[in-house]
Amino acid sequence: MIKKCLFPAAGYGTRFLPATKAMPKEMLPVVNKPLIQYGVEEALDAGLTEISIVTGRGKRALEDHFDISYELENQIKGTDKEKYLVGIRKLLDECSFSYTRQTEMKGLGHAILTGRPLIGDEPFAVVLADDLCVNLEGDGVLTQMVKLYKQYRCTIVAIQEVDPQETQKYGVIAGDLIGDDLYRVRNMVEKPKPEDAPSNLAIIGRYILTPDIFKLIEETEPGKGGEIQITDALMKQAQDGCVIAYKFKGTRFDCGGAEGYIEATNFCFEHFYKTGKAY
Ligand code: G1P
């Protein structure tokens, strides 16, 4: 089954400058945990234990985070501060981490293609760590998607309804309803103007992709913004009926911008930190 989860994490995080000048945006803390750790925890919850991260220049802190800090361990051993490291130790014990570098920023499609040597020829999940997803009611978003993959064996993208004026921020789909909150995708457009959008169903940063996507990305010409867009490659899969869009259960915070980041911070403080579930 699916074991691998790819994290494209080479982007500059310009919307958070100057904080992201010397620090990867994926390391921005939401209360006490870096953004990417929430994503890795969601992956592990879904049974995805092989974590692959596409990094870039200036991103070494990511590798250090998912490693043991002997000095720190030694310092707090036997004290009540040990509890702060329980969560991250669990990730180190139960997951493997591998890295590759994207040397040029040519779009999300290109970032995913850069991860190909780490993934090989098997289905895999993709998490955009900027999108922090939580579901207090039950399964995490990736767990929901892995269950669907077992049933449908094709590419799955997570979607949510957005304000029709906001379509320019997202890949937007149109499809036929085939079940509860499930659409077989007919059309998808990267960041359309509201008047050109096929719907208000926007793709968020959770995907399960079948490995034929790599060849389709290779064949994809630069699209919106001159970048190689995953949405364009997915559209080719969709033409064969092989892409399902899923309106997930839970909440997604767009931590790529200040507003969503603050909302996520307040939410995590309230529901995880204050309740002692933050480690
Ligand atoms: C990327 C994708 C877009 C998707 C979005 C989700 O855009 O290109 O299709 O809707 O992630 O967060 P980005 O936010 O990287 O510009």
Side-chain angles (χ1 to χ4, degrees):
M1 272 319 290
I2 308 184
K3 296 188 303 287
K4 294 188 177 174
C5 188
L6 186 70
F7 288 75
Y12 298 123
T14 46
R15 282 190 284 171
F16 272 106
L17 282 170
T20 47
K21 186 164 171 272
M23 182 182 77
K25 64 172 173 167
E26 296 78 13
M27 289 301 294
L28 285 170
V30 174
V31 191
N32 63 320
K33 248 190 259 178
L35 257 177
I36 193 162
Q37 189 173 334
Y38 289 91
V40 173
E41 287 173 355
E42 187 189 325
L44 177 58
D45 276 347
L48 313 177
T49 54
E50 296 178 32
I51 307 299
S52 306
I53 307 183
V54 177
T55 67
R57 286 179 291 282
K59 298 276 186 162
R60 284 191 201 159
L62 291 172
E63 291 168 57
D64 290 336
H65 185 69
F66 295 110
D67 198 353
I68 289 179
S69 165
Y70 283 105
E71 231 175 277
L72 183 64
E73 300 261 339
N74 191 45
Q75 196 70 34
I76 65 174
K77 203 177 167 76
T79 74
D80 63 357
K81 291 186 179 154
E82 269 192 301
K83 65 173 185 278
Y84 299 136
L85 293 182
V86 168
I88 183 78
R89 270 196 205 134
K90 179 175 152 72
L91 297 183
L92 299 183
D93 287 346
E94 296 181 22
C95 299
S96 66
F97 293 86
S98 36
Y99 302 87
T100 190
R101 277 199 187 199
Q102 189 184 10
T103 51
E104 291 173 288
M105 303 306 139
K106 293 202 275 189
L108 179 57
H110 180 256
I112 292 173
L113 187 59
T114 304
R116 183 183 202 168
L118 302 178
I119 301 295
D121 192 26
E122 51 187 288
F124 61 105
V126 174
V127 168
L128 307 183
D130 281 359
D131 280 343
L132 196 159
C133 292
V134 289
N135 181 20
L136 296 176
E137 313 295 316
D139 288 343
V141 180
L142 278 179
T143 303
Q144 297 168 39
M145 293 172 76
V146 166
K147 282 184 180 166
L148 282 173
Y149 177 79
K150 286 182 182 160
Q151 202 180 335
Y152 289 93
R153 307 270 164 175
C154 65
T155 283
I156 315 228
V157 299
I159 52 166
Q160 73 173 65
E161 281 180 40
V162 297
D163 180 335
Q165 294 309 311
E166 303 248 286
T167 54
Q168 272 180 94
K169 292 192 194 162
Y170 303 94
V172 178
I173 69 119
D176 304 314
L177 202 60
I178 56 166
D180 277 353
D181 297 326
L182 273 189
Y183 299 81
R184 192 167 300 276
V185 174
R186 263 189 290 108
N187 189 14
M188 52 205 323
V189 188
E190 179 66 9
K191 305 199 169 85
K193 292 194 187 117
E195 60 270 30
D196 301 329
S199 76
N200 69 332
L201 298 173
I203 304 171
I204 62 117
R206 299 289 183 277
Y207 305 76
I208 288 182
L209 302 175
T210 51
D212 54 309
I213 196 69
F214 291 126
K215 186 159 182 297
L216 295 172
I217 300 173
E218 274 176 344
E219 293 163 2
T220 298
E221 298 292 325
K224 195 92 186 177
E227 297 186 329
I228 297 177
Q229 300 292 351
I230 187 64
T231 307
D232 296 340
L234 285 168
M235 183 56 208
K236 297 182 205 163
Q237 266 187 337
Q239 278 159 358
D240 294 329
C242 297
V243 179
I244 285 178
Y246 169 56
K247 216 195 285 172
F248 65 94
K249 293 183 177 56
T251 310
R252 163 238 178 207
F253 298 98
D254 173 12
C255 293
E259 208 178 308
Y261 178 75
I262 296 299
E263 283 171 19
T265 302
N266 287 329
F267 183 95
C268 292
F269 179 66
E270 206 55 47
H271 294 281
F272 305 139
Y273 194 81
K274 273 176 43 182
T275 56
K277 286 185 237 154
Y279 308 110

